[in-house]
Amino acid sequence: YLEKMLKNAEIIEEHSGNDEVGLNKMVKVYIPEDEEEGEEPEMATVNGELRPIRDIMPLIFINPTIEPYGKQYLFKEGCLSVHNIRANVSRPEFVRATLPQLDGSVLELDCSGLLARCLQHECDHLDGFLFVDRVSSASKLTLSKKLKRLAEGY
């Protein structure tokens, strides 16, 4: 199910913009629903209430804080910042997040699945990490030629 969702996920990110007070970091995440008729939608706890994630899409927030938790799972990730490279990344299954909104309100979110993985991936960007920084040493060796060619292209 998660792979089916990933194929249909569109993730748009903007990393940082200066303002007069300091540095704000903004992220936009959009995960379109791809549920078959009769299938249950993917759910998340939003401000204490269980809701379909489609109700909160697109997610746009600034200066997020996230707390990943739960069992680690391997899943193949890719990124627009690292073209044509995909690798297995181990991440916790769940995320508790505090997501300040542009209007000053705050979204408290507890989620799993693709949304939890996307939040971890996007927040990594804000902290200066790419998914390739999270792969195993063996995977880094396997990817080293591709990463070197990519770096030479810039």
Side-chain angles (χ1 to χ4, degrees):
Y1 174 76
L2 200 55
E3 285 202 28
K4 180 178 162 186
M5 288 290 292
L6 186 60
K7 287 179 186 174
N8 294 313
E10 174 186 338
I11 302 163
I12 305 163
E13 58 199 54
E14 290 183 16
H15 297 297
S16 62
N18 292 314
D19 66 20
E20 294 174 12
V21 176
L23 183 66
N24 280 315
K25 298 176 180 181
M26 182 173 72
V27 175
K28 299 177 188 178
V29 176
Y30 178 63
I31 301 174
E33 272 304 308
D34 186 37
E35 59 198 57
E36 300 292 326
E37 191 170 323
E39 259 185 343
E40 291 294 317
E42 189 171 345
M43 305 293 279
T45 302
V46 181
N47 294 335
E49 179 184 334
L50 193 60
R51 295 175 51 191
I53 65 165
R54 69 172 170 255
D55 290 357
I56 58 171
M57 291 295 141
L59 270 176
I60 301 172
F61 48 90
I62 56 173
N63 302 329
T65 57
I66 66 167
E67 179 188 337
Y69 67 98
K71 185 177 176 184
Q72 296 273 332
Y73 282 96
L74 274 178
F75 190 76
K76 194 162 284 218
E77 290 188 24
C79 183
L80 296 174
S81 300
V82 186
H83 295 286
N84 299 320
I85 295 178
R86 294 176 56 85
N88 282 324
V89 177
S90 181
R91 296 191 189 271
E93 180 180 13
F94 301 98
V95 166
R96 277 185 212 95
T98 301
L99 308 174
Q101 304 294 286
L102 297 175
D103 65 4
S105 65
V106 175
L107 199 67
E108 296 289 340
L109 185 65
D110 198 326
C111 61
S112 63
L114 183 59
L115 181 54
R117 184 162 290 270
C118 288
L119 287 172
Q120 291 173 77
H121 177 107
E122 296 305 327
C123 288
D124 270 357
H125 283 296
L126 298 178
D127 293 332
F129 295 100
L130 295 173
F131 80 95
V132 292
D133 297 318
R134 302 279 186 211
V135 300
S136 70
S137 297
S139 291
K140 283 182 184 171
L141 285 174
T142 303
L143 295 174
S144 63
K145 287 182 184 177
K146 287 183 178 180
L147 291 169
K148 186 175 180 182
R149 278 196 303 267
L150 184 63
E152 289 170 352
Y154 285 103

